[in-house]
Amino acid sequence: MVTSSILSPSDCTPQALADFESLVTKYGTVDPQGLTQRIRDAFRLLFLRESNGQLVGVGALKRPQLGYRSKVFAKARATTPPDEYRVELGWVAVAKSHQGQGLSRRIIGQLISLAENKNLFATTRADARAMRFAVDYGFKPAGKPYPSGHGYDLVLYLRNAEETKQAVLSDRQTPS
């Protein structure tokens, strides 16, 4: 059985932070430079563990500085001001042994529920699977795909809290 815990980085042990970073580095597509500090600066970290304690999945809600957000939004040529999107969903990674079990969806769903009243942004590879995930959770592509610098393109996705709330309300009011 896989259980989850969501913690502030300051509430994590040094080993838990190191395990989080190790899984992100191994299975995530992330720049490892400065990753240790970026993990410590995150808002919340999610850990999925087997009953034996083995870490099998991670994800985070981050509060990146305006400079980083501005750079990402500019690379994507997004017309939305980055100041409206202060929380980033990211570092979703699942161990190869546990892929295909819906754990990425679980991680994303739990993190989004923590930030349901906040506008969120995320970047991910430009591929059909990632695009389906994004749409399923109320994210919409913004701007254009842009080079990651690592041989693939990235897409910026935005999830507007108010629009998502309105969509949920209208879905509830639609007769079946």
Side-chain angles (χ1 to χ4, degrees):
M1 179 160 104
V2 176
T3 59
S4 63
S5 57
I6 301 173
L7 302 167
S8 170
S10 62
D11 293 334
C12 296
T13 66
Q15 186 60 54
L17 293 172
D19 291 348
F20 185 100
E21 183 172 354
S22 177
L23 199 67
V24 167
T25 303
K26 187 171 184 178
Y27 296 105
T29 50
V30 63
D31 183 355
Q33 185 174 351
L35 182 59
T36 302
Q37 189 59 49
R38 292 193 319 268
I39 290 170
R40 286 193 172 108
D41 292 341
F43 174 57
R44 292 287 184 266
L45 303 176
L46 183 144
F47 298 83
L48 288 183
R49 295 188 182 277
E50 281 285 359
S51 54
N52 64 6
Q54 177 191 358
L55 186 63
V56 297
V58 296
L61 289 175
K62 307 178 268 182
R63 288 192 174 144
Q65 297 295 318
L66 180 58
Y68 168 80
R69 289 182 278 137
S70 296
K71 187 170 68 173
V72 169
F73 280 56
K75 284 181 182 178
R77 297 185 303 239
T79 57
T80 304
D83 197 45
E84 293 180 16
Y85 289 81
R86 297 174 184 229
V87 179
E88 180 181 17
L89 172 70
W91 299 328
V92 176
V94 174
K96 198 167 267 332
S97 61
H98 286 69
Q99 290 176 3
Q101 298 176 22
L103 296 182
S104 291
R105 287 187 176 279
R106 179 173 167 183
I107 292 167
I108 293 166
Q110 287 183 332
L111 289 170
I112 285 175
S113 70
L114 269 182
E116 66 182 328
N117 296 320
K118 304 255 188 251
N119 291 338
L120 297 174
F121 78 97
T123 58
T124 189
R125 284 181 184 243
D127 68 32
R129 183 173 172 262
M131 291 175 174
R132 278 193 311 274
F133 260 96
V135 170
D136 288 351
Y137 288 98
F139 285 89
K140 296 177 183 172
K144 306 274 184 215
Y146 62 95
S148 67
H150 300 284
Y152 52 87
D153 285 346
L154 291 172
V155 176
L156 170 65
Y157 289 96
L158 304 178
R159 183 178 189 275
N160 181 284
E162 194 56 38
E163 286 177 14
T164 305
K165 196 182 305 180
Q166 291 303 321
V168 169
L169 289 175
S170 67
D171 285 350
R172 287 183 185 157
Q173 294 172 356
T174 305
S176 354

